[in-house]
Amino acid sequence: MAFIFNTENVRDMTEEQKEQIIAAGVPLSLYDKGLMELGPKNKSALRKFANICTAISLNDLPIPPSQFIEFVTNRTTGKSKQDFTAIVDAKKGQGKSWSSAYMAGRYAMQIAYKFGANPRDYFTLENCALLEDTEGITKILDEADKQQAIIIDDAGTAIGSRDFAQEKNKNFNKILATCRTKRWFVILNVPISSHIDVQVRELIDANIHIYKSFHEGGFNLLKINSSESLFKFGKKKVIEKRFSFLGKKFDFWCAFSPDTLDPFKGFTEKYDKQRDEAANRIISDITVKEKDRGNPMTKQEKKRKEAVQKHGKTIQVMFERGDSARKMTAATGLTDHMINIVKAEMGLKDD
Amino acid sequence: MVTYFLLNRCNEFSRDIKTHDNVDVSAMTADLLSYCPDVKEREKMWKEFVKRKNDETTEGKSSSERELNASILTKGDFWAYICGVLEFTESSYGGF
């Protein structure tokens, strides 16, 4: 469990912590502003950064301040009522869920530090929509308080680009376009960002790519770009720009496991369990749908089946009691014709 | 185009300083620095050149040798400035 610094509490770093950092070969200057100078922009820069992150992870060193998280926090708590939405994309198994959870966790800790509250007030497992459909996501959004971190895992399930004109996508777009005053930090996970609805893609503030996974070292290296719209000759173009802080353009960002954050210890285990359950649920739902697709029923057949399921027992009881067809009609609301069909389906024959 | 011109200018400077014995090194340096588009940066480099040229702590060097060395080092500064402005050697930064 590592101590988490921000640009304010880093001034209170103890001598013991300083010695620990120096002994691990990590430059102390990194902790001043959360900025790691990596020399010329080439392949060795990535290697240098990975070595530093490995040293921090393996030696349980305090985690340096994060300019990005503080930027997001300032935005969701600032005077101008803004929120922050990001897409995290990476191939399956590269660690986009964990990286998202780490960012959400750090955001919650930073906001809790600012307001003197509990980090778990701003992010819990309940804020994660795991393979949910649009209804599930909108339910989570409906119940979420202000300034929450929300993760929508595998967003392609709910707001896939192939369902672009469907009512569910339109509703989600409406929420995302108007939820600014809720001041959320929304993270959408998807293997490739083009898999989600284009309107959602245009509304986001940042694109986060998992550049390289270091599962053994316990961290991922990310590229975080701001998403900006340019208007030229009446045409709109969305471009990505590296985030700049302290007058420097940041090339790489490090995301550790969410378990390194004290308030979110054991998060990954619970998350994986819940995700497995969600995956099983979605697989069985799709299996049923596929089965139905293989044996298509006509509208009439569906109606009959529903009538038998809903009123079958009532009709059987009334039939055995010798009640008239008029009484059955009054009790069930079905027509005479439909009652006869239900009777036939259930094998009830008049003597 | 500008990059090519500046590169060519630096190349000519090096060639002239090596091949010609009786050249006014200070004038050549001033000529090179005159192509620097940033006035403040130009003055800074010129001051540095003058300081190096008059640095008498360098033992065993004659004034002309000091002038030559100062001139070559100033060309290095100019080149570093061009690289910085044109982002030939962009630095990389990481965050957490």
Side-chain angles (χ1 to χ4, degrees):
Chain A
M1 211 63 62
F3 189 82
I4 311 293
F5 278 123
N6 58 39
T7 47
E8 282 178 30
N9 70 5
V10 77
R11 290 179 213 136
D12 307 326
M13 189 190 279
T14 62
E15 285 303 316
E16 196 186 330
Q17 284 172 323
K18 281 181 188 172
E19 281 170 18
Q20 199 191 355
I21 291 163
I22 293 165
V26 175
L28 209 54
S29 59
L30 165 62
Y31 285 83
D32 291 341
K33 285 167 184 170
L35 167 77
M36 176 74 203
E37 289 190 27
L38 302 168
K41 195 180 170 188
N42 54 28
K43 277 185 182 175
S44 66
L46 176 76
R47 210 172 300 134
K48 262 186 216 168
F49 193 47
N51 286 341
I52 294 292
C53 297
T54 310
I56 290 173
S57 176
L58 296 183
N59 296 298
D60 277 338
L61 296 182
I63 295 177
S66 172
Q67 292 288 345
F68 175 67
I69 294 297
E70 290 187 25
F71 163 74
V72 176
T73 314
N74 290 339
R75 187 156 154 161
T76 59
T77 58
K79 277 184 185 172
S80 59
K81 292 185 173 172
Q82 285 184 302
D83 62 346
F84 196 87
T85 317
I87 290 180
V88 179
D89 69 357
K91 291 272 168 68
K92 286 185 277 184
Q94 281 203 314
K96 53 185 179 298
S97 303
W98 285 26
S99 300
S100 311
Y102 169 80
M103 284 189 283
R106 269 204 89 165
Y107 165 81
M109 289 178 77
Q110 181 63 25
I111 236 173
Y113 177 85
K114 208 166 183 177
F115 295 143
N118 185 352
R120 296 183 67 82
D121 292 344
Y122 297 98
F123 177 64
T124 58
L125 199 55
E126 282 159 18
N127 288 14
C128 301
L130 307 172
L131 298 172
E132 295 280 0
D133 52 12
T134 314
E135 195 187 338
I137 293 172
T138 47
K139 191 170 171 274
I140 288 168
L141 297 178
D142 183 38
E143 288 167 2
D145 288 334
K146 272 192 171 186
Q147 282 144 342
Q148 298 277 309
I150 294 164
I151 296 178
I152 300 173
D153 205 2
D154 282 308
T157 316
I159 39 168
S161 53
R162 289 188 173 185
D163 300 333
F164 69 97
Q166 288 190 10
E167 200 59 35
K168 58 175 193 159
N169 275 29
K170 288 182 190 171
N171 288 338
F172 186 85
N173 287 335
K174 279 177 202 166
I175 291 178
L176 208 61
T178 54
C179 71
R180 186 171 62 88
T181 49
K182 285 275 196 177
R183 322 293 302 272
W184 290 323
F185 174 30
V186 183
I187 304 172
L188 300 141
N189 279 347
V190 68
I192 295 171
S193 57
S194 59
H195 287 185
I196 59 172
D197 198 302
V198 69
Q199 288 201 1
V200 177
R201 294 205 303 270
E202 285 176 348
L203 281 172
I204 56 141
D205 301 296
N207 275 301
I208 302 171
H209 313 282
I210 309 285
Y211 191 66
K212 200 137 176 90
S213 305
F214 290 88
H215 291 320
E216 285 181 14
F219 63 91
N220 285 326
L221 292 188
L222 324 174
K223 282 195 175 260
I224 305 181
N225 297 327
S226 67
S227 177
E228 289 171 26
S229 300
L230 274 183
F231 289 91
K232 265 187 182 175
F233 310 112
K235 282 185 179 175
K236 197 181 90 170
K237 199 179 171 191
V238 179
I239 54 157
E240 288 191 19
K241 273 185 182 175
R242 278 175 291 166
F243 269 101
S244 292
F245 299 106
L246 312 162
K248 317 277 185 204
K249 284 179 184 169
F250 281 60
D251 293 300
F252 307 109
W253 296 87
C254 176
F256 293 100
S257 161
D259 285 343
T260 53
L261 309 172
D262 201 16
F264 303 99
K265 191 187 171 190
F267 181 90
T268 49
E269 197 184 328
K270 287 179 202 162
Y271 186 92
D272 284 346
K273 197 180 163 196
Q274 204 159 311
R275 201 189 175 284
D276 279 350
E277 284 169 11
N280 288 339
R281 194 180 62 230
I282 209 163
I283 290 168
S284 41
D285 281 356
I286 290 171
T287 311
V288 170
K289 276 182 195 166
E290 279 301 303
K291 210 174 169 185
D292 288 349
R293 208 166 60 86
N295 306 306
M297 270 195 288
T298 61
K299 268 189 181 176
Q300 273 185 330
E301 279 173 335
K302 257 188 189 172
K303 227 176 175 183
R304 268 186 220 170
K305 208 178 167 185
E306 275 174 18
V308 172
Q309 274 177 350
K310 207 174 173 185
H311 303 292
K313 274 190 182 172
T314 318
I315 290 171
Q316 191 177 10
V317 170
M318 292 180 88
F319 178 79
E320 282 165 2
R321 215 162 47 198
D323 288 347
S324 64
R326 182 183 281 257
K327 268 191 178 177
M328 287 183 203
T329 312
T332 58
L334 298 175
T335 59
D336 281 352
H337 177 64
M338 191 54 87
I339 284 173
N340 287 334
I341 288 172
V342 174
K343 275 186 192 172
E345 289 270 335
M346 296 185 74
L348 307 172
K349 286 179 185 169
D350 291 315
D351 294 330
Chain B
M1 199 68 184
V2 176
T3 314
Y4 176 75
F5 170 73
L6 291 173
L7 275 169
N8 209 25
R9 195 65 203 86
C10 286
N11 189 29
E12 279 172 10
F13 177 83
S14 294
R15 195 189 55 213
D16 292 349
I17 223 161
K18 277 178 199 162
T19 52
H20 295 78
D21 290 334
N22 299 318
V23 288
D24 186 345
V25 175
S26 292
M28 274 183 72
T29 311
D31 178 56
L32 178 72
L33 290 183
S34 69
Y35 292 105
C36 178
D38 188 330
V39 180
K40 277 186 184 171
E41 206 56 44
R42 186 196 305 161
E43 282 171 4
K44 201 173 132 191
M45 280 189 273
W46 179 252
K47 271 183 192 167
E48 193 62 30
F49 167 71
V50 175
K51 198 176 146 193
R52 280 176 186 146
K53 194 174 84 167
N54 299 329
D55 184 9
E56 289 178 359
T57 55
T58 328
E59 286 176 19
K61 299 272 181 195
S62 65
S63 64
S64 60
E65 281 171 336
R66 278 204 306 272
E67 188 184 28
L68 187 65
N69 287 350
S71 176
I72 292 168
L73 287 171
T74 305
K75 192 198 91 175
D77 289 347
F78 183 54
W79 181 237
Y81 165 77
I82 293 168
C83 288
V85 170
L86 299 174
E87 297 189 344
F88 285 160
T89 53
E90 199 182 348
S91 291
S92 196
Y93 298 93
F96 292 84

